[in-house]
Amino acid sequence: MTETARTVLLRGGEIHTPADPFATAMVVEGDSIAWVGSEGAADGFADGVDEVVRLEGALVTPAFTDAHVHTTANGLALTGLDLADAQSLADALSRIRAHAAARPGDRVLLGHGWDDTRWPEQRPPTRTELDEAVGDRPLYLSRVDVHSAAVSTALAATVPGLPGLAGYHPALPVARDAHHAVRTAAYSTLSPAQREEAQRASLARAAALGIGSVHECAGPDINGEADFLGLLEVAREFAGPRVVGYWGQAVRTAEEAAAIRHDLGAHGAAGDLCADGSVGSHTAHLCDPYADAAHTGNGYLDAEAIATHLAACTEAGIQGGFHAIGDAANDAVVAGARFAAERLGLERVRAVRHRVEHAEMLSPGTIAGFAQFALTASVQPAFDAFWGGPEGMYAERLGAERAAGLNPYAALLRAGVPLALGSDAPVTPLGPWAGVRAAAFHRTPEHRVSVRAAFTAHTRGGWRAMGRDDAGTLVPGAPADYAVWTAGELVVQIPDERVANWSTDPRSGTPGLPDLTPGGELPRCLRTVVGGREVYRAA
């Protein structure tokens, strides 16, 4: 909010609001929405406001919330070595050599985003290949899912006892405890100035995409306390999106849970408290073995540990939650929630709105458990866009039949499970309209949801996921977090192919949204406002 509260009238556009499906104007007073309505009624406000914004037909929506972000890592990918679009292993190695040559002063070379399943070689870089590319310099390259990393010999040598840690391999990428150790070593070399530069770049990118809030999923094995506290400080000073911080550390008592909020300023003890790993790195915890590996991945927390954490958080009145991808991991989360409810009572557990990040492999029984215990599913539709389908990475790792069951958004919504959409950036890029499109045009048709449902999950759903029901929508009294977009004809798209896919009939009374049919151009952000304060304006 600006130092002096201002009143702004926006008029001559399309206001996406449940208050009036035909609204074309909106008044903002200070940091709140004051009024929405028709163009004719807007005349009565014109002389009493500090500013009139003429929309010229632009669309105004609530600002998006990205419910799962790693802000510093995303900023490093934006400003440093990003291998997400490397076309082959050879291409990746060439980029690594060029990056090393261009950054002679870096204590540790950092990169992200390689995905061997997209390369013709179908394998990750070996340590020998990395050493040939960078010589005797430390190098850390997180895989696209950030659950394993390729490292040079020089970096591995800086971590005492690394060969004895779970997930270590002398020639190939490291995972599990070994990965956590080398990531800590690599990120510890960042100066405060480098961290802040990355954080500001990440938040600026979010603002330019119409994102008004991000949920930072941090933790001791992700980025450390200094990074987390620094980010919250940057967010207080920087004219950008709101940052809601989650700290993924297991607790045993209500006092430990309360300390996470008091000492760190975290909203909850949730986010990337990992019950397992990822499908791409073969570390997601499965009930049955992988199709391309003779094991079931890694479970990091059992049901009893999950119950202890959720009970402690419930008693402290703060959100708890977990990263869970595989079916065994999600089953463990539901079992833990059940144990916690038996100890404290179902309604107490439900009231805190604990959350599960990713929630990809879910049986009908597990979905029912999510609904029973009011667990929010914080999901990333771009995962399906990147790795779904019969030829995608999921099918390679799991087989086509199991892969087709991943990310069942329609079933979650039918069961009454709250959804919050995000990107897990830098795992997949920030891009909320792309996320809405991916949910509405899921590679498995039975999992598709309407554009409206996906949009709601990416706006209001993010606020609800942090326990607020009064935000994420443009109605009087709500926070003035909104974005202005260029958009074509507004439509009402639904996922059921048996009926018309969209309707422009105004008699439906349903506010329209941009046509997100794959292949078409996504809306472009013109302006982003957070708490009544402009944080982005297109040039």
PDB file of all heavy atoms in Angstrom, residues 480-492:
ATOM      1  N   ALA A 480      -6.875  -5.410  -2.460  1.00  0.00           N
ATOM      2  CA  ALA A 480      -6.766  -4.906  -3.832  1.00  0.00           C
ATOM      3  C   ALA A 480      -5.526  -5.499  -4.491  1.00  0.00           C
ATOM      4  O   ALA A 480      -4.550  -4.810  -4.769  1.00  0.00           O
ATOM      5  CB  ALA A 480      -6.711  -3.391  -3.827  1.00  0.00           C
ATOM      6  N   ASP A 481      -5.576  -6.797  -4.724  1.00  0.00           N
ATOM      7  CA  ASP A 481      -4.542  -7.525  -5.459  1.00  0.00           C
ATOM      8  C   ASP A 481      -5.156  -7.918  -6.794  1.00  0.00           C
ATOM      9  O   ASP A 481      -6.026  -8.800  -6.849  1.00  0.00           O
ATOM     10  CB  ASP A 481      -4.108  -8.790  -4.708  1.00  0.00           C
ATOM     11  CG  ASP A 481      -3.298  -8.491  -3.458  1.00  0.00           C
ATOM     12  OD1 ASP A 481      -3.437  -7.389  -2.908  1.00  0.00           O
ATOM     13  OD2 ASP A 481      -2.544  -9.385  -3.009  1.00  0.00           O
ATOM     14  N   TYR A 482      -4.730  -7.267  -7.870  1.00  0.00           N
ATOM     15  CA  TYR A 482      -5.343  -7.551  -9.161  1.00  0.00           C
ATOM     16  C   TYR A 482      -4.331  -7.371 -10.276  1.00  0.00           C
ATOM     17  O   TYR A 482      -3.250  -6.795 -10.088  1.00  0.00           O
ATOM     18  CB  TYR A 482      -6.569  -6.665  -9.389  1.00  0.00           C
ATOM     19  CG  TYR A 482      -6.304  -5.179  -9.432  1.00  0.00           C
ATOM     20  CD1 TYR A 482      -6.005  -4.529 -10.634  1.00  0.00           C
ATOM     21  CD2 TYR A 482      -6.382  -4.409  -8.270  1.00  0.00           C
ATOM     22  CE1 TYR A 482      -5.775  -3.159 -10.674  1.00  0.00           C
ATOM     23  CE2 TYR A 482      -6.157  -3.040  -8.303  1.00  0.00           C
ATOM     24  CZ  TYR A 482      -5.849  -2.418  -9.501  1.00  0.00           C
ATOM     25  OH  TYR A 482      -5.616  -1.064  -9.545  1.00  0.00           O
ATOM     26  N   ALA A 483      -4.678  -7.890 -11.442  1.00  0.00           N
ATOM     27  CA  ALA A 483      -3.840  -7.753 -12.631  1.00  0.00           C
ATOM     28  C   ALA A 483      -4.713  -7.354 -13.803  1.00  0.00           C
ATOM     29  O   ALA A 483      -5.897  -7.713 -13.875  1.00  0.00           O
ATOM     30  CB  ALA A 483      -3.117  -9.069 -12.934  1.00  0.00           C
ATOM     31  N   VAL A 484      -4.115  -6.604 -14.719  1.00  0.00           N
ATOM     32  CA  VAL A 484      -4.791  -6.138 -15.925  1.00  0.00           C
ATOM     33  C   VAL A 484      -4.146  -6.833 -17.123  1.00  0.00           C
ATOM     34  O   VAL A 484      -2.917  -6.901 -17.217  1.00  0.00           O
ATOM     35  CB  VAL A 484      -4.678  -4.607 -16.064  1.00  0.00           C
ATOM     36  CG1 VAL A 484      -5.416  -4.130 -17.313  1.00  0.00           C
ATOM     37  CG2 VAL A 484      -5.213  -3.909 -14.810  1.00  0.00           C
ATOM     38  N   TRP A 485      -4.983  -7.337 -18.032  1.00  0.00           N
ATOM     39  CA  TRP A 485      -4.500  -8.201 -19.111  1.00  0.00           C
ATOM     40  C   TRP A 485      -5.027  -7.779 -20.473  1.00  0.00           C
ATOM     41  O   TRP A 485      -6.166  -7.323 -20.580  1.00  0.00           O
ATOM     42  CB  TRP A 485      -4.966  -9.648 -18.881  1.00  0.00           C
ATOM     43  CG  TRP A 485      -4.684 -10.197 -17.543  1.00  0.00           C
ATOM     44  CD1 TRP A 485      -5.482 -10.128 -16.433  1.00  0.00           C
ATOM     45  CD2 TRP A 485      -3.514 -10.912 -17.144  1.00  0.00           C
ATOM     46  NE1 TRP A 485      -4.880 -10.760 -15.378  1.00  0.00           N
ATOM     47  CE2 TRP A 485      -3.675 -11.252 -15.779  1.00  0.00           C
ATOM     48  CE3 TRP A 485      -2.358 -11.324 -17.814  1.00  0.00           C
ATOM     49  CZ2 TRP A 485      -2.708 -11.970 -15.071  1.00  0.00           C
ATOM     50  CZ3 TRP A 485      -1.393 -12.030 -17.118  1.00  0.00           C
ATOM     51  CH2 TRP A 485      -1.564 -12.341 -15.769  1.00  0.00           C
ATOM     52  N   THR A 486      -4.230  -8.015 -21.488  1.00  0.00           N
ATOM     53  CA  THR A 486      -4.751  -8.046 -22.853  1.00  0.00           C
ATOM     54  C   THR A 486      -5.357  -9.421 -23.064  1.00  0.00           C
ATOM     55  O   THR A 486      -4.752 -10.433 -22.711  1.00  0.00           O
ATOM     56  CB  THR A 486      -3.644  -7.819 -23.878  1.00  0.00           C
ATOM     57  OG1 THR A 486      -2.648  -8.845 -23.751  1.00  0.00           O
ATOM     58  CG2 THR A 486      -2.994  -6.467 -23.702  1.00  0.00           C
ATOM     59  N   ALA A 487      -6.518  -9.467 -23.606  1.00  0.00           N
ATOM     60  CA  ALA A 487      -7.181 -10.749 -23.830  1.00  0.00           C
ATOM     61  C   ALA A 487      -8.161 -10.594 -24.983  1.00  0.00           C
ATOM     62  O   ALA A 487      -8.698  -9.510 -25.223  1.00  0.00           O
ATOM     63  CB  ALA A 487      -7.915 -11.211 -22.569  1.00  0.00           C
ATOM     64  N   GLY A 488      -8.395 -11.675 -25.691  1.00  0.00           N
ATOM     65  CA  GLY A 488      -9.374 -11.658 -26.767  1.00  0.00           C
ATOM     66  C   GLY A 488     -10.773 -11.844 -26.213  1.00  0.00           C
ATOM     67  O   GLY A 488     -11.076 -11.434 -25.091  1.00  0.00           O
ATOM     68  N   GLU A 489     -11.600 -12.488 -27.002  1.00  0.00           N
ATOM     69  CA  GLU A 489     -12.968 -12.738 -26.570  1.00  0.00           C
ATOM     70  C   GLU A 489     -12.970 -13.644 -25.350  1.00  0.00           C
ATOM     71  O   GLU A 489     -12.245 -14.628 -25.278  1.00  0.00           O
ATOM     72  CB  GLU A 489     -13.761 -13.396 -27.698  1.00  0.00           C
ATOM     73  CG  GLU A 489     -15.233 -13.599 -27.360  1.00  0.00           C
ATOM     74  CD  GLU A 489     -15.997 -14.230 -28.515  1.00  0.00           C
ATOM     75  OE1 GLU A 489     -15.345 -14.852 -29.369  1.00  0.00           O
ATOM     76  OE2 GLU A 489     -17.228 -14.094 -28.543  1.00  0.00           O
ATOM     77  N   LEU A 490     -13.784 -13.292 -24.359  1.00  0.00           N
ATOM     78  CA  LEU A 490     -13.869 -14.088 -23.140  1.00  0.00           C
ATOM     79  C   LEU A 490     -14.902 -15.193 -23.327  1.00  0.00           C
ATOM     80  O   LEU A 490     -15.973 -14.982 -23.901  1.00  0.00           O
ATOM     81  CB  LEU A 490     -14.251 -13.197 -21.955  1.00  0.00           C
ATOM     82  CG  LEU A 490     -13.313 -12.011 -21.682  1.00  0.00           C
ATOM     83  CD1 LEU A 490     -13.750 -11.283 -20.423  1.00  0.00           C
ATOM     84  CD2 LEU A 490     -11.868 -12.461 -21.577  1.00  0.00           C
ATOM     85  N   VAL A 491     -14.559 -16.368 -22.835  1.00  0.00           N
ATOM     86  CA  VAL A 491     -15.412 -17.543 -23.023  1.00  0.00           C
ATOM     87  C   VAL A 491     -15.525 -18.290 -21.711  1.00  0.00           C
ATOM     88  O   VAL A 491     -14.837 -17.998 -20.733  1.00  0.00           O
ATOM     89  CB  VAL A 491     -14.838 -18.475 -24.115  1.00  0.00           C
ATOM     90  CG1 VAL A 491     -14.775 -17.769 -25.454  1.00  0.00           C
ATOM     91  CG2 VAL A 491     -13.460 -18.984 -23.725  1.00  0.00           C
ATOM     92  N   VAL A 492     -16.410 -19.283 -21.692  1.00  0.00           N
ATOM     93  CA  VAL A 492     -16.567 -20.172 -20.542  1.00  0.00           C
ATOM     94  C   VAL A 492     -16.237 -21.571 -21.026  1.00  0.00           C
ATOM     95  O   VAL A 492     -17.066 -22.221 -21.671  1.00  0.00           O
ATOM     96  CB  VAL A 492     -17.999 -20.107 -19.963  1.00  0.00           C
ATOM     97  CG1 VAL A 492     -18.126 -21.060 -18.776  1.00  0.00           C
ATOM     98  CG2 VAL A 492     -18.356 -18.681 -19.561  1.00  0.00           C
TER      99      VAL A 492
END
